[in-house]
Amino acid sequence: MQTAVGDELVGRVLEGRYRVIERIARGGMSTVYRALDERLDREVAVKVMSAALSTDPAFADRFAREARVAARLSHLNAVSVYDQGTDGAHVFLVMELVRGRTLRDLMRERGAVSPAQAVSIMEPMLGALAAAHRAGLVHRDVKPENILLADDGAVKVADFGLARAVESDASSTRTGLMMGTVAYCPPEQIARGVADTRSDVYAAGVVLFELLTGRAPYIGDSAMAVAYQHVNSDVPPPSSLRADVPPQLDDLVLRATRREPASRPLDAGAFLAELHDVRLDLGLPVVAVPPRRVSRPDSDDTQVIGSPIQGNPHSPIEHPMPGPVAGNPMVAAAVNADATTAPTFAEAGVHRTVISDSRPPGPVAGATARQPKQRKPISRRRRARRRTAIAVIIILLLGLLTGYGAWWFAVGRYHQVPDLAGMSRSAATSKLVSGGFSVNPAVEQSFEENTATFPAGTVVTTVPGPHAHVLKGKSVQLVISKGQERYVVPAVVGKTYAQAQAALAAMPVQLQRNDAADGTGRVPAGSVIRIDPAPGTKVKRDQTINLYVSTGPPILNVPDVRNKPQDQASNALTKAGFKVNQLQDYSDTVPQGSVISQSPDAGSSQPKFTTVTIVVSKGPSLVTIPQISNGTDADQAKATLEGLGLQVKINRQFGGLLNKVVAMDPKAGTQVPKGTKVTLTVV
């Protein structure tokens, strides 16, 4: 447990609910605390993301989304996610508190484990990953540090969904992040930045390899060197490092770590099924997770004395050298174990001095100094001291010779590979040759993130990596940058979607179709309105290109312009996005210059730019009073005028006995509105 002195979060209550008790662990991306959920009165683990990530609002949104996805995962062997929140500048995740250690701690303590132990650890781990894969969730960061071994024997997988949230953040693309996980990254995640369920299978296969052998399959001086081996080399069988690994486990590791994803098990569930078959074939028992070793407190005395061999008071006494010995649990185990089974200090890696107390008993009591036989023991002691001094000198000389020989074979005969990053191919080759190395054919690759540092034709790294110790004359391979891999976006605006697909088919990019209404009225439905990124832009491999395809003009509601003046009606329709066609007609009810009617009707839904026809009133319709000659029969004249929509009033003079028209008001030829009263004078 780490001390929390100076930690501002210890003692605080996050979101008014989670009281931080103490810090458990700290990493480059987050810090984990033990906290108390005061609402439910239970202890939880709170993972607080680093300030560099928390200050990015986009990361906070991604973090919340991924946390919600991970919270839906419910499995016995997956660390439960209880809550997610933000308190001021702190973005945090609330998880199940698992008391125990990580799989990395177990491997540091014990190294390689037995096949039965490895299978017993892998099965619950794969069970949790299989449940995640069934839920559509990819872990992306399977490694021993994320496998928790609880004190009650449970195996749990942690950090579901967090790798994706961090990976999507631009500020997290750092060497430190890659250095922490590159030993378990599948080739496709390194080369193309893509990951699916088979990527988790690859990482799980590497974890199985490490459980069986005690080390990762690839080791290098830099993350780039390890990543290069993942992309260009096949993972070796575990039996190449440990002869007792059964062939069935060899085959399973090789299948799970194939460089081509299609050759691996489809997901963690398929991997688990194959592992179960191997357990049945080999008859491996289910083995509990080894408990943590509890070391006894060491003595304050820096000198540890081993027990004499049974019954022999003159056996050698071992005195460990002070310094590295103090506090070494291996030393304590050696001293306290049974003499017949305990490892020696040499086996425990502890320096010692052996004092052989083989002197005979002292002089006989009562002898005087003048007796000559009293001088014999003194002479023997001197000879013993002389022999001891000679033996010590010989031992020292042998130690020096042995040390020099060990240095020569371990270090002295090796040469250090120079750091050639950024140099041209010819300059790097010359430097290697002058340093006593031979040069293998160079390998050329595209390095997206490093192009600014390593332009095309320059050295990115070497295999073995820089500063590695290699025998003089051995070959070193140069990794040459081909520069950025870029593709130019073509111009496809105005083309149909099928034509745009054909134009982009040769580019290794992802197409995303987005339907959108055309607000210009110039692009027909089914044709491309816009492309993002814009034409002429250079894009990376697997980058998403958005095509916006026209669904035609947007649908709008026609405004009601009836009874409005002609100018106001036209402006309202134009502003609403419609074209206007004007007609004129007479109206007895609508004032002249105002709209009598419109088509399409007001309130109807029509595509933008549709033509709306309005009928503008010319005022009431006029009637021309016809010519009625004097002497025309009054009834006939009345019928003629009424047929034109006029009202007729007959004014009879002298009794109107003849019933003949002698005058008319208004006069013939006058234009009057329908319904106008015309007076006929009749005699």
Side-chain angles (χ1 to χ4, degrees), residues 309-444:
I309 296 180
Q310 298 174 2
N312 186 355
H314 308 295
S315 299
I317 301 175
E318 298 181 342
H319 299 272
M321 298 295 291
V325 175
N328 190 330
M330 294 295 291
V331 175
V335 172
N336 296 322
D338 186 89
T340 59
T341 60
T344 66
F345 285 95
E347 292 169 342
V350 180
H351 300 289
R352 64 183 182 180
T353 302
V354 179
I355 302 175
S356 179
D357 189 7
S358 57
R359 299 174 298 181
V364 179
T368 64
R370 288 174 289 184
Q371 293 176 335
K373 60 182 177 181
Q374 289 179 341
R375 289 193 287 268
K376 290 182 181 179
I378 298 175
S379 177
R380 282 196 297 269
R381 281 197 297 271
R382 288 176 178 172
R383 286 196 297 271
R385 291 171 182 168
R386 190 179 297 114
R387 286 196 299 270
T388 301
I390 293 172
V392 169
I393 292 172
I394 293 173
I395 290 172
L396 290 175
L397 290 175
L398 289 175
L400 290 174
L401 291 174
T402 301
Y404 178 81
W407 172 84
W408 169 254
F409 282 101
V411 179
R413 62 189 182 134
Y414 290 90
H415 289 249
Q416 195 176 60
V417 177
D419 187 356
L420 307 175
M423 298 179 64
S424 66
R425 184 199 304 254
S426 58
T429 301
S430 300
K431 190 168 183 178
L432 285 175
V433 172
S434 63
F437 302 99
S438 61
V439 183
N440 270 348
V443 175
E444 296 187 354

Side-chain angles (χ1 to χ4, degrees), residues 92-109:
F92 63 90
L93 187 67
V94 181
M95 302 177 295
E96 171 188 3
L97 180 63
V98 179
R99 300 186 183 275
R101 55 184 167 167
T102 66
L103 182 57
R104 173 66 65 204
D105 297 331
L106 175 66
M107 289 193 286
R108 286 197 187 110
E109 178 185 298

Side-chain angles (χ1 to χ4, degrees), residues 48-402:
V48 181
M49 304 310 292
S50 69
L53 294 175
S54 300
T55 54
D56 182 2
F59 168 77
D61 291 341
R62 283 191 298 272
F63 181 82
R65 288 196 302 270
E66 295 301 330
R68 285 194 291 270
V69 173
R72 292 201 298 266
L73 178 62
S74 177
H75 192 271
L76 176 65
N77 300 111
V79 174
S80 299
V81 175
Y82 296 146
D83 194 6
Q84 175 274 328
T86 303
D87 190 306
H90 303 292
V91 176
F92 63 90
L93 187 67
V94 181
M95 302 177 295
E96 171 188 3
L97 180 63
V98 179
R99 300 186 183 275
R101 55 184 167 167
T102 66
L103 182 57
R104 173 66 65 204
D105 297 331
L106 175 66
M107 289 193 286
R108 286 197 187 110
E109 178 185 298
R110 298 176 179 264
V113 300
S114 67
Q117 184 71 70
V119 172
S120 298
I121 292 174
M122 290 293 296
E123 282 182 335
M125 182 190 88
L126 290 174
L129 289 176
H133 291 173
R134 287 193 298 271
L137 184 64
V138 180
H139 191 287
R140 296 170 179 258
D141 196 19
V142 177
K143 57 185 179 182
E145 288 79 0
N146 283 337
I147 312 302
L148 307 184
L149 307 179
D151 288 339
D152 61 3
V155 178
K156 291 180 176 286
V157 182
D159 280 0
F160 280 99
L162 295 187
R164 180 180 178 89
V166 174
E167 181 183 89
S168 301
D169 184 65
S171 66
S172 69
T173 54
R174 299 182 284 220
T175 305
L177 181 59
M178 177 58 75
M179 286 288 289
T181 60
V182 71
Y184 307 91
C185 276
E188 66 272 14
Q189 195 169 353
I190 295 171
R192 301 193 301 277
V194 297
D196 58 13
T197 57
R198 296 167 297 185
S199 304
D200 284 351
V201 168
Y202 182 96
V206 175
V207 172
L208 178 56
F209 179 99
E210 191 168 357
L211 281 170
L212 293 170
T213 63
R215 51 155 284 185
Y218 301 129
I219 297 175
D221 293 330
S222 65
M224 183 65 71
V226 176
Y228 176 82
Q229 295 178 74
H230 276 287
V231 175
N232 296 280
S233 303
D234 292 323
V235 172
S239 59
S240 62
L241 299 179
R242 179 179 172 184
D244 62 342
V245 175
Q248 293 91 329
L249 285 175
D250 266 352
D251 294 341
L252 185 58
V253 170
L254 295 181
R255 285 199 303 277
T257 57
R258 295 250 168 85
R259 281 187 285 169
E260 181 57 44
S263 301
R264 304 175 201 150
L266 181 62
D267 55 19
F271 192 3
L272 178 60
E274 294 189 24
L275 185 67
H276 183 67
D277 291 341
V278 170
R279 177 191 285 282
L280 294 179
D281 291 344
L282 298 176
L284 298 176
V286 177
V287 181
V289 176
R292 283 191 281 182
R293 290 177 176 170
V294 180
S295 58
R296 296 177 60 184
D298 295 329
S299 171
D300 291 336
D301 188 359
T302 58
Q303 186 180 55
V304 182
I305 302 177
S307 302
I309 296 180
Q310 298 174 2
N312 186 355
H314 308 295
S315 299
I317 301 175
E318 298 181 342
H319 299 272
M321 298 295 291
V325 175
N328 190 330
M330 294 295 291
V331 175
V335 172
N336 296 322
D338 186 89
T340 59
T341 60
T344 66
F345 285 95
E347 292 169 342
V350 180
H351 300 289
R352 64 183 182 180
T353 302
V354 179
I355 302 175
S356 179
D357 189 7
S358 57
R359 299 174 298 181
V364 179
T368 64
R370 288 174 289 184
Q371 293 176 335
K373 60 182 177 181
Q374 289 179 341
R375 289 193 287 268
K376 290 182 181 179
I378 298 175
S379 177
R380 282 196 297 269
R381 281 197 297 271
R382 288 176 178 172
R383 286 196 297 271
R385 291 171 182 168
R386 190 179 297 114
R387 286 196 299 270
T388 301
I390 293 172
V392 169
I393 292 172
I394 293 173
I395 290 172
L396 290 175
L397 290 175
L398 289 175
L400 290 174
L401 291 174
T402 301

Side-chain angles (χ1 to χ4, degrees), residues 561 563-570 593-595:
V561 296
N563 297 316
K564 291 185 178 180
Q566 176 183 348
D567 292 341
Q568 292 183 14
S570 297
S594 296
V595 176

